[in-house]
Amino acid sequence: APVAGKEFDLRLFVSFSIPPKDLKAMVEEAADAGATVVFRGPADGKDFSMARFAQKLKALGVTRAGALQMDPPSFTKFRIQRVPTYVLSERTESAKEVDGCAPPGSYAVIAGTMSPEYALNIFKTGSRKELAEAAERRLYALRDKRGQK
């Protein structure tokens, strides 16, 4: 839902280097939270075909997945240094990127293994107002989906 007329995206940056059991759980939890899962590419870096990408995901045994992307430039855009990392960002086409990076203040980032709900709670308390409000709305929607208050 828009906050102050702006849309916000939740992304989870991952890699096939994450242990398969953990990666499967992350992909499925991200789907529940409406987050886009972003991969840099295949672990061996040899073949960026979508067929190979789909094959690697199928091998994980993922039973539910939301939006999935293979998007190396986004790792630069949000200065991703390690995975897994969550990013909550403004959805803007006109944001001025500097050296391929999103402008400071237009996103919040947290690295480490955690649930989307935990990441959103951190964004809710430690981000600028619009990002905090977007995190709070996503938390409400996630809890509503689960039947929680």
Side-chain angles (χ1 to χ4, degrees), residues 47-67:
D47 181 3
F48 273 70
S49 74
M50 290 308 292
R52 174 98 188 277
F53 183 61
Q55 184 180 36
K56 289 178 82 67
L57 288 171
K58 185 177 179 183
L60 291 175
V62 172
T63 57
R64 62 188 188 285

Side-chain angles (χ1 to χ4, degrees), residues 3-148:
V3 174
K6 297 178 183 177
E7 295 283 338
F8 293 83
D9 293 315
L10 180 64
R11 294 177 183 87
L12 172 59
F13 289 81
V14 296
S15 166
F16 286 109
S17 65
I18 295 171
K21 182 180 175 185
D22 296 339
L23 184 56
K24 176 185 184 293
M26 288 176 198
V27 168
E28 291 177 348
E29 287 179 357
D32 293 342
T36 298
V37 178
V38 184
F39 291 82
R40 186 184 307 269
D44 58 18
K46 293 180 183 174
D47 181 3
F48 273 70
S49 74
M50 290 308 292
R52 174 98 188 277
F53 183 61
Q55 184 180 36
K56 289 178 82 67
L57 288 171
K58 185 177 179 183
L60 291 175
V62 172
T63 57
R64 62 188 188 285
L68 301 167
Q69 294 179 344
M70 197 166 35
D71 187 6
S74 283
F75 278 75
T76 300
K77 181 177 183 175
F78 296 108
R79 299 170 178 89
I80 304 302
Q81 300 296 314
R82 61 182 216 164
V83 292
T85 296
Y86 282 94
V87 173
L88 181 63
S89 65
E90 291 180 29
R91 183 184 308 158
T92 58
E93 303 301 324
S94 61
K96 302 276 192 238
E97 292 184 15
V98 178
D99 295 326
C101 297
S106 68
Y107 67 98
V109 61
I110 184 164
T113 302
M114 66 194 77
S115 70
E117 186 171 7
Y118 188 85
L120 288 167
N121 271 307
I122 291 171
F123 292 147
K124 185 177 94 169
T125 59
S127 301
R128 69 178 174 84
K129 185 179 178 189
E130 289 176 341
L131 288 169
E133 289 175 7
E136 188 168 15
R137 286 182 186 217
R138 281 192 170 265
L139 273 170
Y140 181 80
L142 179 60
R143 290 174 180 151
D144 188 51
K145 182 178 181 179
R146 293 180 180 161
Q148 301 170 334

